[in-house]
Amino acid sequence: MSPEPSAAIAAPLPGRADTVDVRYHGPVNLAGYSCALPSSSFVGRVCYDARNRYMVIQLSGTYYHYCGIDGGTVSRMLAADSVGRFYSTQVRGRFDCRITMPPR
């Protein structure tokens, strides 16, 4: 039996420029972000900008953002047995972009 693929954040893909519409924020160009597609029915995609400590996450098809979130928290979420449960207990309601402004 082969091991399951890791949901670790991948390095940014040069030349790839996705723009997603983030709820409560507007368009965000993901060029230069590190993104992962975790195995989760709730969490579709996680993209992280380490320099700005900024995460964009797709939940049930809608993108949301989190500001001032450290890379360790993002890595632990992606490595968790349940990415959705980790998000719900450790991320949601924290890292408010009204306090720490998102990058422009």
Side-chain angles (χ1 to χ4, degrees):
M1 185 174 206
S2 62
E4 263 188 50
S6 170
I9 290 186
L13 299 173
R16 178 157 180 176
D18 280 330
T19 298
V20 297
D21 188 37
V22 176
R23 190 168 203 169
Y24 311 119
H25 179 66
V28 172
N29 185 324
L30 299 177
Y33 282 60
S34 299
C35 294
L37 299 171
S39 179
S40 171
S41 60
F42 177 56
V43 179
R45 185 176 184 195
V46 177
C47 295
Y48 184 62
D49 174 357
R51 189 178 106 239
N52 291 301
R53 296 171 47 107
Y54 182 66
M55 179 179 75
V56 173
I57 185 170
Q58 184 185 38
L59 305 171
S60 299
T62 301
Y63 283 94
Y64 297 90
H65 64 159
Y66 291 87
C67 298
I69 187 168
D70 60 284
T73 298
V74 176
S75 293
R76 286 190 307 279
M77 180 176 69
L78 292 171
D81 289 336
S82 171
V83 176
R85 188 175 314 122
F86 186 97
Y87 163 80
S88 294
T89 61
Q90 302 298 315
V91 176
R92 185 177 60 198
R94 300 176 186 186
F95 310 106
D96 191 336
C97 288
R98 291 172 295 180
I99 296 167
T100 305
M101 296 304 292
R104 287 283 170 191

